[in-house]
Amino acid sequence: MPRFITELKRTHTCGELTKADLDKEVVLFGWVHNRRDHGGAVFIDLRDREGLTQVVFEKDVLPEVHETAGQLRLEYCVGVRGKVAARGANANPKLRTGEIEVHASDLEIFNRSEPTPFQIEDRLETSEEKRLQYRYLDLRRAPLQKALMTRARVNHLTRNYFTESRFLELETPFMVKYTPGGARNFLVPSRLNPGKFYALAESPQLFKQLYMIAGFDRYFQIVRCFRDEDLRLDRQPEFTQIDVEMSFVEQNDIFDVMEGLVCRLWKEVLGVEIPRPFQRMPFQESMTKYGNDKPDLRFDLPHIDITELVRRNGGGGVPMLKDAVEAGGIAKALRVPASMSFSRTEIDKLEEYVKGMGAKGLARAKVGEAGDWTQSPLAKTITPELRQSINAACGAQAGDLVLFQFGKPSTVHTVLANLRVHLAKKHGLIPEYGSNGQWRFLWVVDPPLFEYDEEAGVWAAAHHAFTRPHDEDVQYLESDPGRVNCHRYDLVLNGFEIGGGSIRLHDPAVQARVFKAMGISDDDARSKFGFLLDALKMGAPPHGGIAIGMDRLCMLLTGAESLRDVVAWPKTQKGTDLMTGAPGEVETRQLRELYVKSTHEPR
RNA sequence: GGGGUGUUAGUUAAGCUGGUUAUAACGCCGGCCUGUCACGCCGGAGGCCACGGGUUCGAGUCCCGUACACCCCGCCA
């Protein structure tokens, strides 16, 4: 028998043989995905990343090969040589290769497999904990193989797209100087510089700007970023960005380039045409109507701001509303149409749900035929005037349910934003996961430059300190920082922020005023960003850019339920790797060498 | 730091208001089977019910704590 690999080379993958290949002598390599042993005939589904092919071993034809085939078990890694034969009436329409099968003449078992901890099936039947522990087995499953293949394709298409348009793929360091603000950095102790630390870059932000100042004009990079923050379904501590920066551009130029990329990806990967230009929405409108800056526009259910109505009606006879608004809070309503009827129990569950987000409760009102309210803690005392105003503002009809939140703006927004999506999922307006074939891209634009940091009592950069304010707002930098909007933009898809960027502030004079408004002294600014401030003074071109969350984009593109399904080797919610056990302990000797001492005794 | 859900054979699950020997499917082992493709049939092995306390005559089941996983809030310019 000729030897596989050295003499018999692979001729095809397991996903490509069709009736066009009848009678061909082929060599396949792969894993035993399924076996059906009938005694005289053994059927094997051979699997590689491209698909499945049925291989048949018959006792009558070649007893020795049939004998070896009898030893095969799931996940054995094998090589097969044989002839492609038609399956005729026995064709399997579920398989791409179902019209044919391979009649084996040679079989080599490269490696046996112990029974795997879980079965390698397309259907998800295993806890995520086990999947992560044996990630290399989980990655054998077709859905994950497809997801990673899509991811590879996105990388490839992205490189082509940018390279075609004069962009240069340039690299930036991972080990950088710590700069305050923004996400927590992972720190790397420096052995050569006792007591000092590198930070792992949370993004290439400053370096890509310096590339512009250096004259590279158009930069992109598919780059890993690191952030030491708590994990979520769509957040991993290390993740990949499609990072872009361009000189001599305004916001619309960036949008053009990025819409071009996204449309190409959706066309090439899904065969879907996305209409351009993408919808745009001011930040303020997004907050008012949806409570956050990443609204899912696949359904409506907008929030109604009733703060002004409450104020105008002097509280409208409801002490809770009155107090909340007088204390500087806001009041908002969410109208749930009668068609989405909720039982009392379900509403109580919703109340528990919102309490978990810091809500004090979930005031509600069932709207009657005459616009009256029942089943409501507000109904008894509210003035008819305020009730009618709210009904009108919400467009409430008989049978509708109106839900309320009032108090601190950030809590009201968070609660109602999540509630809106929660209700939509519960009523099938959008699926629990995936796109439902609806792709609602949106640019959220013109947010405020500063956010008021209540704890610190200062204005802080909402994005980063180098975002360009709107020219017409620059005059308010000192007098009213809160009303200064800026050239920043987020790309949103179906309720996920998949990218964000800004036009940068390249004017040193305005830059100085921004720092001042943030309470950062010249000395402070110098010590933190001195190199960039210097650079901005030496002929920095107008420039701007954006970064796309590549993992999130792949998650949405593939319909994955979580980022972990498009990341090959993800971390758990506590940031651990269940396969390798990272992070792990190290010897005291290693720490000493780094001039580092742990204050925590590991258990 | 906070809220929620979960943890029972290798895997996925069932196990009611506490009660005698903890079920099933798939996988695994042995046997039979030449057209299966979720192959079928017969037989078998396999369990610190996550861990630690408590209540009780008696705990997989009730209570408290811990760990781990997942979802969310905070956090993520």
Side-chain angles (χ1 to χ4, degrees), chain A residues 128-154:
Chain A
E128 187 143 20
E129 207 169 342
K130 278 283 176 301
R131 293 173 51 203
L132 291 172
Q133 191 182 345
Y134 300 97
R135 187 61 167 177
Y136 46 89
L137 294 179
D138 196 26
L139 289 174
R140 282 185 188 174
R141 295 174 41 241
L144 285 193
Q145 299 225 321
K146 286 208 187 81
L148 292 191
M149 285 159 78
T150 298
R151 191 182 166 115
R153 188 151 163 70
V154 166

Side-chain angles (χ1 to χ4, degrees), chain A residues 409-445:
Chain A
S410 57
T411 306
V412 170
H413 282 144
T414 298
V415 167
L416 279 184
N418 283 297
L419 190 57
R420 175 176 173 269
V421 174
H422 187 77
L423 294 174
K425 283 182 177 168
K426 264 187 123 57
H427 278 81
L429 297 178
I430 53 171
E432 191 68 29
Y433 302 104
S435 69
N436 211 18
Q438 289 176 282
W439 305 107
R440 294 300 303 266
F441 285 94
L442 171 72
W443 292 107
V444 175
V445 300

Side-chain angles (χ1 to χ4, degrees), chain A residues 583-594:
Chain A
E585 293 164 25
V586 295
E587 300 288 326
T588 310
R589 179 165 25 88
Q590 293 171 275
L591 291 179
R592 209 177 298 131
E593 195 171 51
L594 295 166

Side-chain angles (χ1 to χ4, degrees), chain A residues 572-590:
Chain A
T572 69
Q573 194 153 57
K574 283 192 74 185
T576 65
D577 176 344
L578 292 180
M579 184 178 66
T580 65
E585 293 164 25
V586 295
E587 300 288 326
T588 310
R589 179 165 25 88
Q590 293 171 275

Side-chain angles (χ1 to χ4, degrees), chain A residues 33-74:
Chain A
H33 187 67
N34 193 8
R35 88 192 159 96
R36 297 171 291 280
D37 187 344
H38 285 234
V42 175
F43 298 90
I44 295 293
D45 290 334
L46 192 66
R47 182 194 73 234
D48 65 17
R49 74 176 204 219
E50 307 297 340
L52 295 174
T53 299
Q54 172 162 292
V55 183
V56 192
F57 306 87
E58 287 182 300
K59 198 174 194 170
D60 294 350
V61 184
L62 284 165
E64 293 119 55
V65 180
H66 173 267
E67 164 71 27
T68 311
Q71 299 170 24
L72 294 177
R73 295 293 180 273
L74 299 186

Side-chain angles (χ1 to χ4, degrees), chain A residues 274-291:
Chain A
I274 305 292
R276 288 177 67 180
F278 296 173
Q279 185 180 342
R280 298 178 195 189
M281 184 185 293
F283 175 91
Q284 204 47 250
E285 180 185 343
S286 182
M287 292 304 290
T288 304
K289 284 174 78 173
Y290 307 109

